[in-house]
Amino acid sequence: MFLENILDDPNFKLIKKPYERWYQYMEKNVEFWLPDSEWHTKTHCARVLLLALLIGHQKGLNDKERDALGMAAIFHDSRRLNDGIDKGHGKRAAEYYKHYCREHNLLYDAQTYYITYYHDQDDSLGLSMMGKSPTISERGVLLYQIFKDADALDRFRLGPDALDINMLRTDEAHKLVDFAKDLLQKSSDMNS
């Protein structure tokens, strides 16, 4: 399993099972439109999954909230048309997630839909739209911020200066910058 050597560290004991469950689910079930992508791969999604679960654990999220982050992580880049900015890939991925849930008897979560839908948009738009939804709570906003930070922390794959740490939203993400660099290196070594 991808990142198994990292997950065996005792510090990751509480997120290991949810990570393994969502990672295996993605590998077996989630179809990516850009399977030969250089930057937006299942490996990227796996790192985002780990980072989101780690931040979520540090924030004291419950199982349902961590599952929302897990689902967002495995679907969020599945409907990219290219490796560029590709505004709208979040909307396409959110729609894929919603239809997938209906067709495969996966429990649909509105927070996951919104996180996925707006992850590629400016925070001002994402937070505004989430604020207008009667199904999204303050905790949903926190999940959105955690997810955006987890995705941002994996920007090192784009280059050493690709992450602007001033854009991170949570204290936990700021403390994981060096870990994210190390995680990318370890996953790159595994794929070599």
Side-chain angles (χ1 to χ4, degrees):
M1 162 161 303
F2 179 72
L3 300 179
E4 188 170 354
N5 57 335
I6 293 168
L7 290 169
D8 285 337
D9 183 310
N11 293 320
F12 300 108
K13 181 180 179 182
L14 295 174
I15 64 167
K16 184 176 180 174
K17 284 187 180 175
Y19 174 86
E20 289 174 341
R21 183 168 45 98
W22 288 115
Y23 175 80
Q24 289 170 0
Y25 196 91
M26 175 181 64
E27 281 294 321
K28 292 178 185 172
N29 301 294
V30 181
E31 174 196 345
F32 280 58
W33 279 358
L34 282 179
D36 298 325
S37 169
E38 185 176 344
W39 304 116
H40 301 96
T41 62
K42 286 186 177 184
T43 303
H44 158 64
C45 292
R47 287 189 301 265
V48 172
L49 171 62
L50 180 66
L51 291 162
L53 291 173
L54 186 56
I55 296 169
H57 171 68
Q58 292 172 352
K59 285 282 194 189
L61 299 185
N62 63 39
D63 289 345
K64 183 179 179 190
E65 292 167 328
R66 286 196 307 255
D67 281 347
L69 290 173
M71 287 184 284
I74 67 173
F75 281 94
H76 83 281
D77 276 345
S78 64
R79 290 299 179 257
R80 282 187 152 274
L81 299 175
N82 60 62
D83 271 334
I85 294 173
D86 193 12
K87 285 270 188 203
H89 75 271
K91 176 183 177 182
R92 292 188 299 271
E95 290 300 320
Y96 171 49
Y97 162 72
K98 182 190 275 187
H99 294 299
Y100 188 93
C101 287
R102 287 184 190 147
E103 293 173 8
H104 297 91
N105 206 22
L106 181 64
L107 184 63
Y108 171 78
D109 179 76
Q111 294 180 132
T112 298
Y113 178 85
Y114 275 88
I115 293 166
T116 305
Y117 193 110
Y118 293 105
H119 87 273
D120 66 339
Q121 302 293 324
D122 206 62
D123 278 1
S124 59
L125 177 62
L127 293 171
S128 171
M129 297 308 289
M130 291 177 83
K132 293 176 184 176
S133 171
T135 60
I136 305 299
S137 66
E138 282 184 36
R139 294 291 283 185
V141 170
L142 174 62
L143 295 179
Y144 173 78
Q145 293 170 327
I146 291 170
F147 185 80
K148 293 269 289 200
D149 279 357
D151 196 23
L153 283 168
D154 199 47
R155 291 188 62 80
F156 290 115
R157 75 193 188 285
L158 307 174
D161 298 323
L163 173 65
D164 179 354
I165 61 169
N166 295 316
M167 299 294 289
L168 294 173
R169 297 147 193 88
T170 63
D171 291 337
E172 291 78 5
H174 282 275
K175 294 174 186 170
L176 289 173
V177 171
D178 289 335
F179 174 78
K181 287 179 189 177
D182 189 49
L183 181 65
L184 175 65
Q185 182 60 48
K186 286 180 179 173
S187 64
S188 296
D189 291 347
M190 291 172 62
N191 292 329
S192 301

